[in-house]
Amino acid sequence: MQFRNFGSLDWKASALGFGCMRFPALDGQRNSPNIDRPEAVRMLRHAIDNGVNYLDTGYPYHEGQSEILVGEALQGGYREKVKLATKLPTWLVKSPADFGRLLDEQLKKLQTSHIDFYLFHALDERRWRDVVLRHDLLAQAALALADGRIGHLGFSFHGDFAAFDQIVNGSDLWSFCQIQYNYMDTETQAGTRGLKLAAAKGLAVVVMEPLLGGRLADPPKDILEVIDHFPVRRSPAEWALQWLWDQPEVSLVLSGMSTMSQVNENLRFAGTSRIHSFGPADQEFIAQVCQKYSARTVIPCTRCGYCMPCPVGLNIPANFEFFNYAHAFDDLASARFRYKAFLTEAERSGACINCGICEELCPQHIAIPEWMPKVSALMD
Ligand SMILES: NC(=O)c1ccc[n+]([C@@H]2O[C@H](COP(=O)([O-])OP(=O)(O)OC[C@H]3O[C@@H](n4cnc5c(N)ncnc54)[C@H](OP(=O)(O)O)[C@@H]3O)[C@@H](O)[C@H]2O)c1
Ligand code: SF4
Ligand code: SF4
């Protein structure tokens, strides 16, 4: 295992962290509550025995069963060998007192006295304003830091760069953050700008969705051919992971692993990882793969945001992003899941009133109001 600086903390994180959201399930369904418990415990302990020192779980994962499973797996001396991260389910917070109530419930489920790394789960501009600030949760977190129930405070993020900037600069309590980042998300979500901003402020940056939830490990045939013909032989999953570890600002890469062979593979990849391991030819190759994915997109939206705000509240670039995702990755189910998880009803294509204001503002001359019913037909 390779170890990396974790922001400004005096602790080294393993290059690979275990994301506890994709355990094997008895019914074969993703995120199922029917976890194959003996196998999941075996995978977690095997990873820890081979150097993984950071586990990331969350209140809703496996419909509430992930935290319980992790608590069980960490018995018998394993708790002391790892840093444990879990997250406050911000969408359940209706008052400041909910912070302590939910944290205490999580401590019980995890069978531990403290959470080493505690995150506000899935922040964006709206949740930052309407949940964290409205209910003064930073003051609640400061109390939990002071009495030791949590070791360090951070947040996981699913918004745009402007919101990320606002949140990173919105508190001195952050030690770390967690962003969705991979070679296809350099300009979406927090993006490369967000990664560098957080790192420059001394925050550790934990990467989630390094394989875009598995999509980059299983590319469409034409892209797989490009990968197979490159002189350096790496699987699609290894290319995506090594691209991340190459970057000094990345503190740790979380992978949600669903089989023991994935655990073993990713341990092997992490063991050979290095900062600045990529030369110009490798970077050029990844750019070529990105281009291939981008060529599969249907709507030429660059996510510049000039068309915003829409008078009725649509998130225009996000609607196009999820529509394009379905085509780029040949994966309508994941695209629909993301569309529904990340956009409110009012932000989705179906709410468009065809006023036409946006179209005049789009530098790409995209016929936005004409596209919205097509997005809606596919995604709603
Ligand atoms: N806070 C948040 O808002 C949030 C959101 C997302 C994730 N997370 C956290 O971040 C973690 C990582 O994200 P993620 O699980 O989406 O990571 P990911 O690595 O992008 O996707 C995980 C999937 O990749 C595939 N995979 C992993 N290793 C592989 C390998 N060596 N070869 C081929 N396929 C491989 C598996 O897919 P198959 O199952 O199809 O084989 C696995 O289920 C999560 O587990 C969770 O802890 C947090
Ligand atoms: S046409 Fe639709 S998406 Fe464009 S500004 Fe009007 S309501 Fe919003
Ligand atoms: S103005 Fe056009 S290119 Fe820019 S985000 Fe809106 S739709 Fe996309």
Side-chain angles (χ1 to χ4, degrees):
M1 180 56 64
Q2 296 293 311
F3 294 87
R4 301 169 71 101
N5 292 334
F6 203 74
S8 17
L9 299 187
D10 184 20
W11 173 71
K12 296 247 181 209
S14 50
L16 178 70
F18 207 121
C20 301
M21 194 177 86
R22 313 255 188 211
F23 288 133
L26 295 172
D27 54 15
Q29 298 297 311
R30 273 195 156 190
N31 204 25
S32 161
N34 303 315
I35 299 171
D36 180 344
R37 303 184 97 79
E39 184 60 4
V41 169
R42 206 166 70 87
M43 285 163 55
L44 273 172
R45 291 184 172 176
H46 178 70
I48 296 168
D49 290 340
N50 286 279
V52 167
N53 65 6
Y54 188 102
L55 309 185
D56 172 83
T57 181
Y59 189 89
Y61 295 174
H62 291 277
E63 296 184 22
Q65 289 299 311
S66 173
E67 288 182 331
I68 295 171
L69 185 284
V70 170
E72 287 166 11
L74 292 184
Q75 297 308 296
Y78 280 88
R79 174 67 185 91
E80 293 70 31
K81 295 181 184 173
V82 289
K83 301 291 185 195
L84 181 55
T86 193
K87 317 183 185 79
L88 178 77
T90 47
W91 54 93
L92 297 181
V93 173
K94 307 291 175 223
S95 74
D98 285 338
F99 179 98
R101 179 181 63 75
L102 288 159
L103 173 56
D104 288 346
E105 184 186 334
Q106 291 174 292
L107 289 168
K108 210 172 277 170
K109 285 168 79 179
L110 285 158
Q111 303 187 46
T112 188
S113 60
H114 67 285
I115 311 291
D116 301 291
F117 292 98
Y118 198 57
L119 303 92
F120 292 128
H121 198 161
L123 293 192
D124 55 15
E125 199 246 336
R126 193 161 27 99
R127 286 219 178 104
W128 171 245
R129 185 190 59 231
D130 294 348
V131 181
V132 178
L133 298 183
R134 175 172 297 168
H135 298 303
D136 206 8
L137 297 186
L138 291 164
Q140 297 296 317
L143 290 175
L145 283 164
D147 66 25
R149 280 174 296 160
I150 65 179
H152 299 280
L153 183 69
F155 64 93
S156 71
F157 183 77
H158 285 292
D160 59 16
F161 174 77
F164 186 75
D165 189 348
Q166 193 186 355
I167 297 170
V168 162
N169 288 305
S171 172
D172 292 333
L173 292 178
W174 310 131
S175 301
F176 71 112
C177 61
Q178 184 165 313
I179 60 171
Q180 173 178 328
Y181 189 57
N182 54 67
Y183 64 67
M184 289 304 292
D185 273 321
T186 54
E187 284 169 42
T188 47
Q189 304 262 329
T192 308
R193 272 198 301 165
L195 169 75
K196 289 185 187 285
L197 171 78
K201 282 193 70 92
L203 269 63
V205 183
V206 172
V207 166
M208 61 183 162
E209 304 216 33
L211 304 177
L212 246 182
R215 293 279 27 97
L216 299 181
D218 183 22
K221 199 162 155 264
D222 55 325
I223 294 178
L224 188 59
E225 273 168 16
V226 173
I227 294 176
D228 283 347
H229 282 92
F230 192 68
V232 178
R233 308 292 297 158
R234 284 178 175 143
S235 69
E238 183 175 12
W239 272 111
L241 295 172
Q242 298 292 6
W243 178 84
L244 288 163
W245 285 315
D246 171 69
Q247 301 172 60
E249 297 88 356
V250 168
S251 310
L252 172 141
V253 175
L254 283 176
S255 175
M257 294 165 277
S258 43
T259 63
M260 185 61 100
S261 71
Q262 287 176 357
V263 175
N264 278 322
E265 262 191 12
N266 295 353
L267 283 169
R268 187 159 51 80
F269 302 154
T272 60
S273 68
R274 216 163 25 86
I275 288 170
H276 296 319
S277 66
F278 271 34
D282 302 299
Q283 296 291 5
E284 175 55 34
F285 167 66
I286 291 292
Q288 200 190 329
V289 172
C290 289
Q291 233 166 31
K292 276 268 186 199
Y293 275 118
S294 301
R296 297 171 66 92
T297 62
V298 178
I299 307 174
C301 173
T302 60
R303 307 182 196 96
C304 66
Y306 290 1
C307 54
M308 298 283 282
C310 154
V312 296
L314 256 82
N315 186 333
I316 299 168
N319 276 280
F320 291 166
E321 181 186 334
F322 297 125
F323 184 84
N324 279 335
Y325 179 107
H327 292 88
F329 301 105
D330 278 343
D331 190 349
L332 181 56
S334 297
R336 274 192 184 141
F337 175 81
R338 285 163 193 265
Y339 174 81
K340 294 199 169 143
F342 296 137
L343 295 179
T344 61
E345 197 93 32
E347 290 171 324
R348 293 183 205 153
S349 48
C352 174
I353 54 166
N354 199 5
C355 69
I357 292 172
C358 53
E359 191 171 352
E360 289 171 24
L361 301 170
C362 176
Q364 308 302 323
H365 308 295
I366 297 169
I368 300 172
E370 283 174 35
W371 274 109
M372 286 307 171
K374 296 178 194 163
V375 174
S376 195
L378 189 74
M379 310 295 278
D380 278 321

